């Protein structure tokens, strides 16, 4: 099994998603296949980023020593890492509860077939990201009630497009659905008003807790 390119690892609370506010061990991997306009971890995707190499066994041991059961695999795009499936299985076998934050452009069929099955939080990139053309809507069929689709919203056009996708694929009946505002680009109250106007039942507005508690650009939190 090859080593993993790790940008940082730390313990904090989940800032968003179904376990928001809960303690988690974060394993942030280097590299991404997308380049979203609002990316707040672009530093981890740079070709010259200083990343550490760690074996699966070393990462599992780090998680065990942390004493925290929730593990969030993030990036970058964690599913680009070779042998990520084996790491997920080892973490699960050790008793960890694994959540994967993925950008929506990588097939999920093999990942959701793993045992224990990880929780998936998949983005759907909206127009303001510049990356919508890379979204794999076939991934929606892999999601269940334990999983989530996150729409990062930058403007009203994004909200309208998110509503189209939610309705077309019945996402609110399939999995958790979140609206997350691009920090500093759209007011949360604008999103709430849109949700009220369009009767978006089963959709949750979620702010990034780590950007509220700490400085928005702070790492390791």
């Amino acid at each position: 099994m090859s080593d993993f390119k790790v940008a940082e690892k730390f313990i904090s609370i989940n800032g968003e998603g179904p376990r928001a506010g809960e303690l988690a061990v974060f394993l942030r991997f280097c590299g991404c296949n997308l380049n979203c306009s609002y990316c707040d971890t672009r530093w981890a995707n740079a070709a010259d980023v200083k990343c550490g190499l760690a074996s699966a066994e070393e990462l599992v041991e780090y998680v065990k020593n942390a004493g925290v059961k929730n593990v969030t695999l993030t990036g970058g795009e964690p599913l680009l890492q070779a042998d990520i499936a084996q790491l997920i299985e080892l973490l699960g076998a050790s008793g960890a509860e694994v959540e994967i934050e993925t950008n929506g452009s990588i097939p999920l069929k093999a990942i959701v077939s793993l045992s224990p099955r990880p929780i998936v939080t998949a983005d759907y990139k909206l127009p303001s990201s510049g990356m919508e053309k890379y979204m794999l809507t076939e991934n929606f069929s892999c999601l269940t009630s334990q999983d989530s689709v996150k729409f990062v919203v930058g403007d009203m056009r994004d909200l309208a497009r998110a509503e189209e996708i939610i309705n077309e694929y019945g996402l609110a009946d399939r999995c958790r659905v979140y609206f997350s505002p691009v920090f500093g680009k759209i007011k949360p109250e604008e999103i709430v008003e849109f949700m009220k106007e369009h009767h978006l039942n089963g959709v949750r507005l979620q702010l990034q807790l780590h950007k509220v508690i700490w400085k928005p650009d702070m790492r390791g939190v």
Side-chain angles (χ1 to χ4, degrees), residues 57-178:
E57 292 76 16
E58 288 170 332
L59 293 175
V60 171
E61 189 64 21
Y62 174 79
V63 171
K64 283 183 178 179
N65 291 336
V68 175
K69 69 177 182 177
N70 292 333
V71 180
T72 299
L73 307 184
T74 188
E77 172 49 62
L79 297 185
L80 293 177
Q81 296 289 313
D83 301 320
I84 193 70
Q86 289 91 327
L87 174 61
I88 293 167
E89 288 182 322
L90 287 174
L91 287 168
S94 74
E97 297 187 6
V98 181
E99 178 183 356
I100 302 164
E101 294 183 344
T102 180
N103 64 25
S105 71
I106 308 293
L108 293 175
K109 187 174 182 180
I111 294 299
V112 299
S113 299
L114 297 175
S115 182
R117 183 192 186 281
I119 292 174
V120 174
T121 295
D123 281 8
Y124 184 90
K125 303 298 184 184
L126 296 167
S128 73
S129 72
M131 296 288 117
E132 186 179 11
K133 65 181 179 181
Y134 298 106
M135 295 296 93
L136 299 181
T137 54
E138 56 265 35
N139 277 338
F140 294 151
S141 65
C142 298
L143 304 180
T144 69
S145 59
Q146 71 174 347
D147 303 311
S148 307
V149 173
K150 181 178 68 177
F151 295 93
V152 179
V153 176
D155 53 32
M156 299 305 292
R157 180 187 176 204
D158 280 355
L159 282 170
R161 179 59 176 153
E163 183 185 19
E164 290 177 356
I165 295 297
I166 291 166
N167 291 337
E168 181 176 354
Y169 294 95
L171 293 182
D173 295 322
R174 175 179 292 278
C175 62
R176 298 178 177 94
V177 179
Y178 296 101

Side-chain angles (χ1 to χ4, degrees), residues 156 159 163 179 188-203 205:
M156 299 305 292
L159 282 170
E163 183 185 19
F179 284 168
E189 54 262 44
E190 294 180 80
I191 298 177
V192 174
E193 289 304 316
F194 183 91
M195 293 169 65
K196 288 163 58 179
E197 181 180 350
H198 294 261
H199 310 292
L200 292 183
N201 295 296
V203 177
L205 169 66

